């Protein structure tokens, strides 16, 4: 039997069912308290704040496969409680939730307390260490902060409302990339919306990388065919050395020059305006796994 696909869900506390609250709390306790052997106040009261947004992937049995929460700290937002069930790790679920959480922050600086061994992972999303390390509940942590950039994904078209318990989302809140169905009188953000956000994020990151990369028409050349130089040729006749590589690798570097950023970005953006193209989604995932 094929496992049911995971769906990305987003809600404020007032919109959660009792079963959903139980599923989110159980996942967080399983990871942070049991697996990491930390006795700490997991239920800190901030889940209940009207501005707190919970994001998670629902598994086929109604439980939580991965989750994060976004807190409103006034001039900043904070992302925390990033947890993935052991059986669902390695699928990129947390990365997709972080990307969706960033989109919810509307260009406001974001902070988080990262477990020290995950500092490099959070850097993939634009977070940078913002102070000295510290130990919390016996685990080394580092404070991190993410400043908004021009390459950020557009704000999520979906906004939960604290007063909307058991009410469907009104049509004006459903942007062109949103896909919402009503379950038990409640708006549910479909998995498709996460994929569309992924495509836009990949296009933004690709274009941002190209903008700070040596421009020009890249060509493989040099004296040695087995170890060619890759040189960027500018329209004014100038050149700039880009890389040296083996023959086959040099051809790849020359072919995948910044000249491809614009058409590839346009393809990803076009794919984000309609039914998800599996090839575009696969490309976006591979790209985001490698882009700085």
């Amino acid at each position: 039997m094929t496992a049911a696909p995971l769906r990305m869900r987003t809600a404020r506390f007032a919109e959660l069912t009792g079963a959903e609250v139980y599923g989110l709390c159980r996942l967080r306790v399983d990871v942070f308290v049991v697996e990491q052997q930390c006795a700490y106040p997991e239920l800190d009261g901030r889940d209940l704040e009207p501005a707190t947004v919970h994001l998670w992937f629902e598994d086929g049995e109604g439980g939580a496969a991965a989750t994060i929460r976004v807190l409103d700290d006034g001039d900043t937002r904070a992302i925390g409680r990033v947890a993935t069930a052991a059986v669902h790790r390695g699928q990129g679920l947390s990365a997709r939730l972080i990307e969706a959480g960033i989109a919810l922050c509307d260009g406001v600086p974001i902070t988080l307390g990262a477990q020290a061994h995950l500092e490099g992972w959070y850097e993939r999303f634009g977070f940078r260490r913002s102070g000295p390390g510290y130990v919390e509940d016996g685990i080394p942590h580092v404070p991190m902060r993410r400043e908004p950039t021009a390459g950020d994904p557009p704000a999520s078209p979906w906004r939960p409302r604290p007063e909307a318990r058991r009410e469907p989302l009104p049509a004006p809140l459903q942007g062109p990339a949103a896909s919402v169905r009503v379950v038990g009188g409640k708006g549910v953000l479909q998995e498709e919306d996460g994929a569309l956000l992924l495509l836009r994020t990949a296009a933004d990151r690709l274009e941002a990388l190209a903008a700070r990369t040596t421009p020009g028409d890249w060509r493989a050349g040099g004296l040695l065919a087995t170890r060619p130089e890759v040189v960027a040729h500018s329209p004014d006749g100038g050149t700039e050395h880009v890389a040296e590589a083996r023959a086959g690798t040099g051809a790849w570097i020359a072919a995948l020059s910044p000249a491809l950023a614009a058409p590839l970005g346009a393809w990803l953006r076009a794919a984000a305006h309609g039914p998800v193209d599996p090839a575009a989604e696969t490309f976006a995932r591979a790209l985001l796994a490698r882009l700085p």
Side-chain angles (χ1 to χ4, degrees):
M1 180 181 295
T2 303
L6 302 176
R7 295 197 307 274
M8 186 185 292
R9 301 282 302 281
T10 312
R12 301 199 192 211
F13 191 84
E15 299 174 297
L16 296 170
T17 66
E20 289 166 349
V21 172
Y22 178 87
L24 294 174
C25 290
R26 178 172 181 174
L27 173 58
R28 286 161 32 175
V29 169
D30 283 349
V31 173
F32 300 129
V33 179
V34 179
E35 180 180 334
Q36 297 185 0
Q37 299 181 347
C38 290
Y40 80 108
E42 162 56 29
L43 301 179
D44 60 356
R46 300 213 63 182
D47 294 318
L48 300 168
E49 294 176 1
T52 296
V53 181
H54 301 270
L55 299 92
W56 76 103
F57 275 100
E58 181 182 77
D59 64 23
E61 300 178 353
T67 185
I68 70 170
R69 71 180 183 185
V70 180
L71 305 176
D72 186 341
D73 287 338
D75 293 336
T76 63
R77 301 292 181 268
I79 290 178
R81 296 298 198 267
V82 182
T84 301
V87 296
H88 291 289
R89 290 172 190 164
Q91 301 175 36
L93 300 182
S94 289
R96 295 169 68 182
L97 290 174
I98 292 291
E99 290 161 358
I102 290 171
L104 283 173
C105 292
D106 291 338
V108 175
I110 308 168
T111 65
L112 58 81
Q115 294 189 12
H117 69 283
L118 294 174
E119 180 179 357
W121 186 78
Y122 283 110
E123 287 178 343
R124 291 172 43 190
F125 306 98
F127 288 92
R128 297 292 180 264
R129 181 192 285 249
S130 57
Y134 59 95
V135 176
E136 183 176 358
D137 301 310
I139 298 176
H141 283 69
V142 294
M144 303 191 77
R145 180 182 174 100
R146 184 187 190 279
E147 300 295 340
T149 68
D152 280 351
S156 170
W158 183 81
R159 286 293 178 275
R161 297 174 298 143
E163 70 277 16
R165 187 175 185 127
R166 302 296 172 269
E167 296 178 8
L169 293 173
L173 294 182
Q174 300 176 24
S179 176
V180 180
R181 66 187 178 96
V182 176
V183 177
K186 178 172 57 177
V188 176
L189 191 65
Q190 293 277 29
E191 164 69 14
E192 181 186 29
D193 188 62
L196 297 177
L197 175 63
L198 176 84
L199 294 172
R200 295 195 301 270
T201 302
D204 291 334
R205 298 272 291 279
L206 177 64
E207 291 166 0
L209 179 66
R212 61 178 187 267
T213 302
T214 302
D217 175 21
W218 291 15
R219 305 175 206 166
L223 299 177
L224 297 177
T226 58
R227 187 178 289 279
E229 297 180 27
V230 179
V231 178
H233 296 255
S234 61
D236 63 5
T239 60
E240 184 175 340
H241 179 88
V242 175
E244 291 182 1
R246 297 290 183 182
T249 306
W252 266 106
I253 295 173
L256 300 177
S257 67
L260 289 183
L264 286 176
W267 172 53
L268 292 170
R269 292 191 190 286
H273 286 287
V276 176
D277 179 349
E281 184 177 1
T282 299
F283 175 77
R285 291 191 188 287
L287 193 67
L288 288 174
R290 292 182 171 274
L291 285 181

